[in-house]
Amino acid sequence: MKGHKHCVVAAATLIGLLMPFSASHAQLGNLLNQGSNGSPSGLSGLTGGTSSGGIGNLGSALSGGSVTSSDSSNVVGVLQFCIKNNYLGGSSASSVKDSLMSKLPGGASNSNSSYTDGANGILDTGSGQKLSLGGDGVKQQLTKQICDKILEQGKSML
């Protein structure tokens, strides 16, 4: 069983490296979803986050193609998390984050739970699902892709 996990992780990584971006994240999402649906791969058990933030949920969010936050405060917080943890770099991401932060009523603060969740790597999709970002290996690759999508969402909000 343990060897099977390594094979699935290796296969998912290879797919992500060898295929074009859109095809790879869909394939990777499908592979990872198998782990969260009770199949023998057991990938959902490899995460260190909350049960709602497993790899299967990140893969599912990406394969669905609509990774967004339901709240502008959460977008700013997630951008903060992504920049702080080097998932996003450059002045563009910081500029988007700062511009959005200035538009928030009262700014982003520790009293705003949506912002705080985002800054701690929790993406609130608004459909009752919260995704825990970060981690190593495949989850790190998925988090990078989600950070890119949240940056796109942030730019569209300006």
Side-chain angles (χ1 to χ4, degrees), residues 11-34:
T13 302
L14 283 173
I15 288 170
L17 294 173
L18 297 175
M19 295 180 77
F21 176 75
S22 60
S24 67
H25 85 263
Q27 272 295 71
L28 189 55
N30 291 339
L31 253 179
L32 295 174
N33 285 337
Q34 291 174 3

Side-chain angles (χ1 to χ4, degrees), residues 30-103:
N30 291 339
L31 253 179
L32 295 174
N33 285 337
Q34 291 174 3
S36 66
N37 293 333
S39 76
S41 68
L43 278 173
S44 60
L46 295 177
T47 66
T50 62
S51 62
S52 64
I55 287 178
N57 289 340
L58 289 177
S60 174
L62 278 173
S63 65
S66 60
V67 178
T68 59
S69 176
S70 63
D71 181 330
S72 57
S73 296
N74 188 245
V75 169
V76 174
V78 169
L79 288 174
Q80 175 67 33
F81 170 84
C82 293
I83 293 166
K84 177 182 167 191
N85 291 286
N86 299 315
Y87 292 107
L88 292 173
S91 60
S92 175
S94 291
S95 176
V96 170
K97 177 193 63 90
D98 292 343
S99 294
L100 287 173
M101 190 175 293
S102 70
K103 290 183 175 193

